[in-house]
Amino acid sequence: MKTDNEKYNESVQPNTFFLENLKSKLPDFFSKDGKFDLDKFKSQLQEHNIDELKDGYQLNFIGKDYARRQAGEMTSTVIVPDEIQNNGEGKNSKNLFFTGDNLEVLRHLQTNYAGKVDVIYIDPPYNTGQNDFVYPDRFEYSDEKLKEMFGMDDEQVERLKSIQGKSSHSAWLTFMYPRLSLAKNLLDNFGCIMVSIDENEDINLNELLNEIFGERNFIGQVIRKTRSSANDVINGFNNQHEFLYIYAKNASVFKMTGDLKKFDNYKNPDNDPNGEWTTSDPSAKSGSISTSFEIINPYTGKKDLPPKGRYWSFSKETMNEWIDSGKFVFKKSHKDNERGFFVKRYVKELKSENKKVNSLFGIDNIYMNQYGTKYLRDEIFDNMDMFSSPKPVRFIKKIISYATIKKNSLILDFFAGSSTTADAVMQLNAEDGGRRKFIMVQLPEKTYTVNSDGKEVPTGGGKDAYKAGFKSIDELSRERIKRSAAKIREDNNLSEDFDGSFKHYRVVEPTRQTLEKIEDFDINNTDLFNDMVSSFSSDALNVAGNASGEQTIRTTWLAKDGYSFDADVKKADFAGYEASLVEGSRLYLINGGWTSKNTEDLLNKLGTHQLTVQTIVLFGYSFNIAELRELEIGLKQLDVNINLLKRY
């Protein structure tokens, strides 16, 4: 038997994800049977004199159709809660940390976090060819299936499969495309995504973001100086910077806050009652006859005109107002080649102007990678170099503050690495009393390899981490959050109200044995597999956390049904059978052992309105055909309409 998600994935096409999004935005262009009316769409474009279908261009690469299909597929994994962390120090936290493949995590978040994320920051693999990026996805379909899905011939199938495991541009694009597509869905309409990259994939990233987010939603590109020392290169060109791309979900409503101008050069030499001031250029590039007049100094009698090709930045009327207020001042003496007046620029005027974002982070060394490394080594990890070239926390703090106006913003980083983003969010909250929340996602990359003798050998960049007892990057990433939170509490003398923790979940695939059980399952069989639910416990899935199978299934369903991970879940008893009541409106029947006695009690409580639910969801592997039919018949006889969902 195939799971519900497997059945769905068999029907997924490269344009499925696009069409589902289009259907939610433009439902009037779809027929009753779900077909897109292309002629109607073309007609609408022509009516507005747009010929995008002919004049547009696209980014093409080997594996693009496969990447598009991945964006439309449903998850094949389950979410295993870390019950030790979540009922311990993370119990009251609103922050989330996911261990697992970020593509699977993004799939899980599509319902319960759609449109809820304010800022996404990611620092993806740069694909430098130095083992920083190895294509992790697998082409799980047969050659014949690939030909059928994408209309390929033998040669094209081989070309597609050839990018697997390679640090090629096509592999990197195929890896990034579905992740960015899914990430876009999570952004709030006022939100943005910020992506760090270096010159290896800079151009490709730009094209990819243009295609997924749209050129009109490009906000800007920040250049950050990453190092002060020269690097070893044969050609003599010293790369000392990298880029940060910023794209809005909707540029027409997105706004960055930026920084105020520095006012160090402002003084008040004449005790002006309006405060500190400096002079400003009184001319402008554009204007009219009304702003191109003579100004005669009443003390010297000399005339002033705007410089050639320019205009005054004020009218005569405004000038007279400024003279009266003391902002426009005539000099009592001046040389022939000097202006006979000056215009004061007040600090208070500048402070009322919009803040600006500087596109260059290079003047101040605190934004370089060496400061990120130094901070982790000296202040967090006891003089051990746990990460190579981590982003400096001050840089991430700065860009998050630029991109968020709300102090309760939600920030997502699905390439968490050293969890600098989480640290930055907590520091910002400590500084201004904010309630920002973070979601971190990190693949459990090992800090060691196993040699031919079966001995664990630390990786090149993982020696210190392995020596300290960290077997994977996600462990280290979570530890950084805990240590940073402790430091922030101590440095700022914060109360327990400060959220310096997280709830932890692992996203994993069911075991081969469980998958084989699922394949052999017959819905019409009166005999059930023993303890199918327990196959999804953390022990059975070989991960830590002490989660039962029921807790794993329930957590996975909460995400699927659009509930937050801290949704109100209460126990409901039906003649000894324990079910889960979610937010008082949805009932989960997961465990086995359901009998006619339980059906009778459930129907009685529903019929007498002791219990009011809209939907009942049951784990199909826990119910045989007779129990299911009895329950279905009983629900139909009630005077209330209750939706019964069976999941496999």
Side-chain angles (χ1 to χ4, degrees), residues 429-443:
N429 286 340
E431 290 172 8
D432 63 14
R435 294 281 181 175
R436 300 170 188 86
K437 302 175 289 295
F438 62 74
I439 301 176
M440 298 290 108
V441 185
Q442 177 56 41
L443 192 72

Side-chain angles (χ1 to χ4, degrees), residues 122-168:
I122 56 171
D123 184 21
Y126 285 4
N127 201 19
T128 63
Q130 299 177 355
N131 296 323
D132 70 325
F133 170 69
V134 178
Y135 186 66
D137 296 326
R138 63 185 187 277
F139 296 111
E140 58 208 55
Y141 302 102
S142 66
D143 289 1
E144 293 305 313
K145 187 66 176 176
L146 289 172
K147 291 177 190 176
E148 176 190 334
M149 288 190 299
F150 307 122
M152 293 179 171
D153 57 29
D154 290 338
E155 182 181 348
Q156 290 169 324
V157 168
E158 287 306 311
R159 287 183 67 202
L160 173 62
K161 291 170 67 178
S162 72
I163 70 173
Q164 186 178 4
K166 289 186 178 180
S167 296
S168 68

